[in-house]
Amino acid sequence: MAAAGPGGAEWAEVCDKFRAARTLSSVESRKDPETEPYRSKYSARALLQEVKQLLSAAEEGGEARLLAVRRAVLEYELGVNHTDTEELSAGEEHLQRCTQLLEPHRLSPDCVSLYIQAQNNLGILWSERDEIKTAQTYLESAEALYNQYMKEDGNPPLDPSEHFMAEEEKLTDQERSKRFEKAYTHTLYYLAQVYQHLEMIEKAAQYCHTTLKRQLEYCGYYPVEWALNAATLSQYYLSKQCFMESRHCLAAASVIFSQAGQVPSAEDSEAEQDQQDLRQRKAEIARCWIKYCLNLLQSARKLLEDNVGELDPDRQLELKAQRKKEEDEKENGRKKAVLFGTSDIYDSVLAMEEKVSSVYPLDFQEAREIFLVGQNYVQEAKEFFQVDGYVTDHIEIVQDHSALFKVLAFFEEDYERRCKMHKRRIDMLEPLYADLNPQYYLLISRQLQFELADTYYEMMDLKVAIGNRLEELDSHTIKKINSLAQLAIKYYELFLDSLRNPDKVFPEKLEEDVLRPAMVAKFHIARLYGKLITSDSKKQLENMQTSLEYYTFLVDYCEKYPDAVHTVETELELSKEMVGLLPTRMERLRAKLCPFI
Amino acid sequence: YSFSVEGDTIKVYVRVRPPSEGTVLTDGDQGLCLSVLSSNTIRLHSKPEPKIFTFDYVANMEATQESVFSSVAKNIVESCMNGYNGTIFAYGQTGSGKTFTMMGPSDSDNFTHSLRGVIPRSFEYLFFLIEREKEKAGSGKSFLCKCSFIEIYNEQIFDLLDTASAGLFLREHIKKGVFVDGAVEQVLSSAAEAYQVLTMGWRNRRVASTSMNRESSRSHAVFTITVESMEKNNEIVNIRSSLLNLVDLAGSERQKDTHAEGLRLKEAGNINRSLSCLGLVITALVDVSNGKQRHICYRDSKLTFLLRDSLGGNAKTCIIANVHPGSRCFGETLSTLNFAQRAKLIKNKAVVNEDTQGNVS
């Protein structure tokens, strides 16, 4: 049995053909012209068929098991070849034959890797037929097989290509293990997608995480790409309020990113372009960090605020006591599951993590530390995303910066200092708004109008609170309150104007996406007119009248479009109350004005 | 008293091309996969149930180039004169009549050909309106028209008016919005000149497709005209500027590898590379959560970034979906009609582009 025997000339020919087919399929096929996209694949297929013929000629007398395994390799290669060339049914047949041949031996070191890869490919094949559930069964069985093999044997198994190699070419154990682990990583990568398609989001995230982890362990990654993926995953954890996991992903992203080779500053434009890309990626990761800090602060605020949105000291004490109790324990359990990296990388990741907390800040000092980290990343992100060239990104970053100040102000007890923080927000947003062309940036422009209005509104409220502590309002404070109120009104009105149609008419029915902000703007304007301080009674009457008109708008609108009610419930209730009260108050004021009528 | 605001949604037009020259087919014939029921409904002979689609306008096989222009583009060109941005997209599989609809018969560069398409007719109409405005306003009003022509292939941007240039980049300007940095801008003074620039660029597109092994049906082409008007009224100078984008999208059958692929798994990339699409998978996970503050590191495609304004932004936009009625094209036609239907859901807000500068002279 010359053909199957090692060392024989015929066997050498078989191996050569097999190797040639692999080269055609993976290397040559990439150079095929558009008009004949599968030329090399077809040639590879022909070679594989030849090898199959040679093998069956050698059947009698050969060792049955060895032969079966070699056939399985060929069936596998043919299966992949057919699916690559869009012949799914034929591909499926070959792959099925491969797994049938291997079935009895699937747990032995010379078959397990091939079996897993065949299952992977059947998974892909069924997903192409839009049958994701079937794909799932193949991939999950591949996963189970890997686990069983590692438990029962665990030695580096043969790579499928070795079945057609001369003895002296066989791979080292290290290389075998690397390829085997890669095949399994692919299984997990496909499963991540399967779960995503099946909307098993949590499971999908877990598999993405594991895929990243394994890429790191087996060095199968590009640092920049890996870092971006980890940073993106951190954003998933943010949405689930898992700050420990989120921080771990970000810290790992930053550490791995720093491995990405600094391209030497060369004159040619290509290297410059690479540098530019690298800088952009770095800024993107910084932006993920900003969101981390922002979310952590905002979530803490939610926990701490009372029913009027102020810091609740009882809640604060309660949470501090609670934190002492459950510190560490719980987290450590979770942490083991998600750790990235081998020891040296891991140490750097840990060092990175220590720079910012992952537990809710409970007082100003703790909040400030997170704020400062966030602010540093704002500076880093802005270095790349400059307004000239990156308007949208730049403004988004500044908006985040403003949001950081806003949430920090929540933790600040001193009203004057709090007011100064809001002033900082105004100072960063107002000049951007002034320059922005709403023709191209309508949405951002509206966001800025609204945020500026809200910030002035908040500052006015703070000034009123400060004034209330005084025995008597001094003229300076009155002036300040009035001017802040006027500015708030100005920006709310600008926002409302942006909703008008080209003929300057305000829409009869508001679009879903602007309904809430528009109603809130109307409501706040009504309140602001109520807050304006004047000693001139006639002026005061006018302001009350305007205020009433705005409240009435809300009430009338909700009457006409009852769908709107649920979006502004509180505001509507208060508006109704005011529409009831204001006319009487105005009546009284009028009577005071002209007592003789 | 009735008050109606003109809908701001994207207008969607469907045009059915005649099968192919020489063959005369009638409605309900075996060879056809659809029939036009009225000027805005179309029936697709799908099994078991036929499917009815409704659009803003359906042009049947007999529709003339003139009628397509008047119902589709005329309004947009007029809006452009009034200071709105406007965009006309052509969409459809290769061979569905996109080029014929937009440019005219493929063998002629002839601007005066009776079968000329939407683009040359838009040029004529635009310059006709400009001339009329100028006459009406006398010396007080002046116009400046400029154009650029770019091609997006494989997420790279090429200048069709300057073939020597390498890949260009998209940038944003706080006043001017998104623009292609370094793209050649040519001043236009007449419709004929505009058409000349367009055909020159179009030819470059074809040249490029052979020299760099690019296939034109895989690239998007964007021809942009900027219309600037300046009006002096006593001390005040009114400047209006608007864009008219004419977009020839890549053949819809080529979109397969982007989003139309449904449930397919992304396969592992190159042997020694990382798993190429993991990022996309993760992005999809993050996208699910709404209302939360998050940052996604993966950007939009170049085309959507460039035309952000036209898609759900601040412009008047219409899409002409071209379909081939042959039953062989059933799958593609269905996907084109589905795309067109989805496009109707995108809402546009149009705002007059007016910038009043007090001129103290």
Side-chain angles (χ1 to χ4, degrees):
Chain A
M1 219 297 305
E10 280 171 64
W11 174 245
E13 191 198 334
V14 164
C15 291
D16 281 346
K17 284 208 162 112
F18 182 83
R19 196 182 303 119
R22 301 249 309 181
T23 315
L24 273 170
S25 188
S26 58
V27 183
E28 293 298 318
S29 70
R30 265 180 265 155
K31 296 176 227 156
D32 286 345
E34 293 269 354
T35 47
E36 281 179 277
Y38 298 141
R39 191 166 66 187
S40 303
K41 296 264 182 198
Y42 291 148
S43 318
R45 187 192 293 179
L47 279 175
L48 289 168
Q49 298 284 14
E50 273 181 52
V51 174
K52 205 173 154 185
Q53 293 292 324
L54 287 170
L55 272 192
S56 40
E59 195 161 355
E60 68 261 38
E63 197 201 316
R65 186 184 182 283
L66 181 69
L67 212 56
V69 174
R70 284 182 180 161
R71 275 214 202 110
V73 177
L74 286 174
E75 293 296 346
Y76 171 79
E77 292 289 340
L78 283 165
V80 173
N81 183 290
H82 279 89
T83 44
D84 281 351
T85 52
E86 296 176 60
E87 294 167 47
L88 293 191
S89 302
E92 188 198 351
E93 263 173 54
H94 284 294
L95 289 170
Q96 289 291 12
R97 237 175 277 148
C98 167
T99 53
Q100 274 157 19
L101 285 163
L102 292 180
E103 202 59 50
H105 323 297
R106 62 203 185 99
L107 268 168
S108 44
D110 57 339
C111 299
V112 67
S113 187
L114 179 60
Y115 195 85
I116 285 176
Q117 292 185 43
Q119 303 267 71
N120 280 356
N121 276 284
L122 281 164
I124 294 168
L125 188 144
W126 280 98
S127 89
E128 275 180 45
R129 290 175 170 164
D130 279 5
E131 300 237 7
I132 215 78
K133 287 265 183 198
T134 314
Q136 182 189 4
T137 54
Y138 283 111
L139 294 167
E140 282 179 348
S141 95
E143 183 189 25
L145 181 63
Y146 170 88
N147 288 326
Q148 199 187 347
Y149 177 80
M150 291 311 272
K151 211 167 110 194
E152 291 175 13
D153 189 320
N155 288 309
L158 237 59
D159 187 67
S161 64
E162 290 186 82
H163 293 291
F164 288 92
M165 272 183 189
E167 210 49 52
E168 61 275 16
E169 293 172 313
K170 294 260 159 96
L171 305 172
T172 61
D173 271 358
Q174 200 190 2
E175 181 61 25
R176 281 177 178 165
S177 167
K178 203 177 124 193
R179 295 197 188 181
F180 180 54
E181 296 299 341
K182 176 162 259 162
Y184 179 59
T185 306
H186 286 177
T187 305
L188 299 177
Y189 166 72
Y190 298 133
L191 275 171
Q193 298 181 56
V194 161
Y195 294 135
Q196 180 218 323
H197 286 313
L198 294 174
E199 285 172 37
M200 299 157 76
I201 299 302
E202 210 164 304
K203 211 152 182 205
Q206 188 195 321
Y207 277 76
C208 284
H209 196 120
T210 314
T211 306
L212 285 174
K213 208 167 137 176
R214 291 179 59 86
Q215 282 183 281
L216 214 52
E217 269 166 56
Y218 300 101
C219 299
Y221 66 97
Y222 278 162
V224 175
E225 196 179 337
W226 193 95
L228 276 188
N229 287 342
T232 309
L233 187 60
S234 78
Q235 305 296 290
Y236 162 79
Y237 286 122
L238 278 190
S239 64
K240 298 278 170 218
Q241 312 237 53
C242 299
F243 293 102
M244 183 203 73
E245 287 87 346
S246 182
R247 180 181 68 172
H248 189 62
C249 286
L250 283 168
S254 289
V255 168
I256 298 299
F257 183 85
S258 63
Q259 291 182 349
Q262 293 295 315
V263 189
S265 59
E267 251 109 273
D268 63 314
S269 62
E270 207 165 293
E272 198 181 297
Q273 188 48 45
D274 287 348
Q275 274 292 353
Q276 177 93 343
D277 280 349
L278 220 52
R279 282 175 49 229
Q280 175 167 347
R281 303 295 170 224
K282 191 165 180 239
E284 303 263 19
I285 293 171
R287 292 179 69 181
C288 290
W289 273 112
I290 299 171
K291 297 291 188 192
Y292 169 84
C293 296
L294 196 52
N295 274 280
L296 188 55
L297 287 165
Q298 285 171 338
S299 300
R301 173 190 172 149
K302 272 232 170 68
L303 283 179
L304 288 166
E305 70 188 358
D306 59 17
N307 53 5
V308 290
E310 288 290 319
L311 195 140
D312 181 342
D314 294 340
R315 197 78 189 104
Q316 191 177 25
L317 285 174
E318 194 185 308
L319 285 169
K320 278 192 172 175
Q322 195 184 325
R323 179 156 83 192
K324 269 230 170 73
K325 248 197 284 174
E326 57 186 44
E327 218 153 64
D328 300 335
E329 301 150 36
K330 253 208 229 147
E331 303 251 302
N332 277 339
R334 263 159 70 208
K335 199 152 189 173
K336 279 205 188 82
V338 295
L339 288 187
F340 280 128
T342 46
S343 59
D344 51 331
I345 289 175
Y346 181 60
D347 287 342
S348 322
V349 174
L350 262 191
M352 190 76 204
E353 282 186 334
E354 270 163 24
K355 292 179 186 168
V356 58
S357 166
S358 74
V359 297
Y360 294 122
L362 297 177
D363 56 34
F364 180 76
Q365 203 42 48
E366 290 175 357
R368 186 171 167 274
E369 276 169 31
I370 295 163
F371 167 86
L372 287 175
V373 173
Q375 185 166 251
N376 275 334
Y377 282 115
V378 166
Q379 300 315 334
E380 189 177 314
K382 280 206 300 197
E383 266 171 44
F384 179 81
F385 290 113
Q386 298 183 1
V387 69
D388 181 21
Y390 300 93
V391 178
T392 310
D393 292 285
H394 181 86
I395 293 180
E396 279 168 8
I397 294 163
V398 175
Q399 283 175 314
D400 280 348
H401 196 185
S402 163
L404 279 170
F405 265 112
K406 184 177 178 177
V407 67
L408 180 67
F410 166 82
F411 290 89
E412 174 59 86
E413 282 161 41
D414 184 292
Y415 282 3
E416 284 290 353
R417 282 212 300 265
R418 202 193 279 191
C419 218
K420 285 205 179 93
M421 290 180 189
H422 290 307
K423 183 69 176 60
R424 288 286 303 273
R425 299 172 59 204
I426 298 281
D427 291 345
M428 58 179 86
L429 296 171
E430 217 162 35
L432 281 177
Y433 171 74
D435 281 344
L436 197 66
N437 183 347
Q439 181 187 346
Y440 299 108
Y441 298 103
L442 182 64
L443 185 65
I444 302 178
S445 175
R446 281 180 182 163
Q447 287 170 352
L448 292 179
Q449 286 159 347
F450 206 86
E451 194 173 346
L452 282 164
D454 264 356
T455 312
Y456 278 123
Y457 185 84
E458 226 163 316
M459 288 172 75
M460 188 241 12
D461 263 351
L462 284 168
K463 286 287 175 202
V464 170
I466 295 166
N468 285 344
R469 289 180 187 162
L470 305 171
E471 285 183 7
E472 203 184 334
L473 275 182
D474 57 280
S475 67
H476 175 75
T477 310
I478 290 173
K479 236 172 107 182
K480 194 80 211 168
I481 290 172
N482 281 343
S483 93
L484 288 169
Q486 294 289 6
L487 283 161
I489 291 171
K490 169 184 143 187
Y491 282 106
Y492 282 127
E493 291 287 10
L494 280 168
F495 170 74
L496 290 170
D497 284 343
S498 82
L499 304 177
R500 289 171 190 273
N501 78 0
D503 303 319
K504 312 280 180 220
V505 180
F506 196 77
E508 195 113 323
K509 188 173 188 330
L510 291 157
E511 297 282 348
E512 193 71 42
D513 55 334
V514 293
L515 175 65
R516 162 102 194 138
M519 298 296 253
V520 169
K522 291 272 187 187
F523 178 73
H524 280 182
I525 293 173
R527 280 201 68 207
L528 284 158
Y529 274 105
K531 297 255 175 186
L532 287 171
I533 304 165
T534 169
S535 52
D536 177 353
S537 304
K538 241 173 101 186
K539 192 88 199 139
Q540 199 185 343
L541 198 60
E542 263 173 47
N543 289 340
M544 285 167 105
Q545 180 60 41
T546 316
S547 188
L548 179 63
E549 279 161 23
Y550 279 87
Y551 283 127
T552 310
F553 175 89
L554 240 78
V555 177
D556 289 352
Y557 188 93
C558 289
E559 216 156 89
K560 197 165 171 199
Y561 303 104
D563 284 359
V565 173
H566 73 278
T567 57
V568 282
E569 245 159 316
T570 330
E571 289 83 0
L572 181 63
E573 204 181 305
L574 288 165
S575 298
K576 277 184 180 158
E577 206 176 300
M578 292 309 282
V579 170
L581 285 173
L582 272 175
T584 344
R585 276 194 211 160
M586 287 162 71
E587 216 35 64
R588 239 181 282 146
L589 189 63
R590 252 185 229 119
K592 249 198 328 198
L593 262 176
C594 316
F596 305 114
I597 300 171
Chain B
Y1 166 73
S2 91
F3 178 80
S4 85
V5 184
E6 198 197 3
D8 279 333
T9 46
I10 290 184
K11 293 256 188 288
V12 181
Y13 305 86
V14 173
R15 185 181 203 185
V16 183
R17 64 160 286 171
S20 49
E21 257 173 82
T23 48
V24 187
L25 291 166
T26 48
D27 243 23
D29 205 294
Q30 287 295 310
L32 294 184
C33 69
L34 56 82
S35 29
V36 176
L37 300 182
S38 72
S39 62
N40 59 8
T41 50
I42 203 166
R43 179 168 60 201
L44 195 65
H45 307 301
S46 49
K47 295 206 171 83
E49 290 281 297
K51 230 179 145 186
I52 310 276
F53 290 86
T54 307
F55 297 100
D56 293 291
Y57 178 76
V58 176
N60 62 21
M61 297 175 209
E62 286 83 38
T64 62
Q65 295 284 66
E66 169 62 32
S67 74
V68 170
F69 168 74
S70 348
S71 44
V72 176
K74 211 167 171 184
N75 185 290
I76 291 195
V77 177
E78 280 164 8
S79 305
C80 189
M81 283 302 291
N82 294 326
Y84 298 98
N85 296 332
T87 299
I88 302 171
F89 284 101
Y91 184 83
Q93 84 180 100
T94 308
S96 61
K98 261 191 316 172
T99 309
F100 180 78
T101 299
M102 297 304 279
M103 300 283 282
S106 55
D107 53 347
S108 79
D109 282 348
N110 194 347
F111 179 51
T112 54
H113 198 290
S114 62
L115 289 178
R116 65 195 183 277
V118 165
I119 292 176
R121 285 171 202 267
S122 299
F123 293 160
E124 287 161 37
Y125 192 51
L126 180 69
F127 281 94
F128 162 77
L129 291 175
I130 288 175
E131 288 309 316
R132 203 177 66 180
E133 278 285 300
K134 275 205 247 176
E135 267 169 41
K136 253 200 314 199
S139 61
K141 197 163 188 179
S142 60
F143 286 88
L144 177 63
C145 287
K146 284 177 293 188
C147 71
S148 66
F149 196 12
I150 59 139
E151 179 180 36
I152 303 176
Y153 177 81
N154 220 349
E155 285 300 288
Q156 277 183 291
I157 301 175
F158 301 94
D159 193 341
L160 289 171
L161 301 186
D162 175 16
T163 45
S165 73
L168 300 176
F169 293 95
L170 282 175
R171 288 168 64 84
E172 284 180 286
H173 187 273
I174 201 159
K175 290 269 186 237
K176 292 182 289 193
V178 183
F179 66 101
V180 180
D181 198 7
V184 167
E185 279 196 309
Q186 210 139 313
V187 175
L188 301 173
S189 55
S190 69
E193 218 175 280
Y195 195 73
Q196 212 179 357
V197 176
L198 176 76
T199 45
M200 194 259 287
W202 201 271
R203 265 202 302 274
N204 284 339
R205 201 179 168 192
R206 270 183 249 155
V207 170
S209 77
T210 51
S211 69
M212 289 182 65
N213 198 17
R214 279 193 247 152
E215 213 181 309
S216 75
S217 64
R218 280 192 182 193
S219 76
H220 310 290
V222 184
F223 189 83
T224 306
I225 302 186
T226 317
V227 183
E228 250 181 50
S229 69
M230 201 204 274
E231 193 170 17
K232 267 194 196 158
N233 232 331
N234 301 326
E235 301 295 282
I236 292 173
V237 179
N238 251 342
I239 296 172
R240 273 183 181 184
S241 109
S242 48
L243 303 177
L244 179 62
N245 295 305
L246 304 162
V247 186
D248 182 25
L249 292 173
S252 55
E253 73 280 10
R254 298 293 178 185
Q255 310 287 315
K256 273 198 193 96
D257 32 17
T258 52
H259 35 258
E261 62 184 10
L263 291 174
R264 280 189 58 193
L265 301 186
K266 306 266 197 309
E267 290 177 42
N270 207 313
I271 299 293
N272 291 317
R273 266 202 72 159
S274 48
L275 307 171
S276 48
C277 288
L278 185 63
L280 293 178
V281 180
I282 304 174
T283 306
L285 301 180
V286 186
D287 265 344
V288 171
S289 68
N290 34 37
K292 286 265 186 252
Q293 293 272 351
R294 52 179 179 52
H295 177 68
I296 304 291
C297 302
Y298 301 86
R299 270 182 168 266
D300 298 343
S301 78
K302 293 277 191 322
L303 183 75
T304 50
F305 192 70
L306 178 66
L307 297 170
R308 219 165 27 170
D309 266 351
S310 312
L311 299 162
N314 193 12
K316 299 215 170 191
T317 300
C318 78
I319 290 178
I320 308 177
N322 292 274
V323 292
H324 194 293
S327 45
R328 280 166 146 211
C329 301
F330 178 81
E332 275 306 328
T333 299
L334 175 63
S335 89
T336 301
L337 293 177
N338 278 331
F339 171 87
Q341 197 117 77
R342 277 200 308 279
K344 272 200 73 61
L345 300 174
I346 306 171
K347 286 194 174 158
N348 257 23
K349 303 254 177 289
V351 166
V352 182
N353 311 321
E354 199 153 326
D355 186 19
T356 309
Q357 302 175 330
N359 197 345
V360 195
S361 52

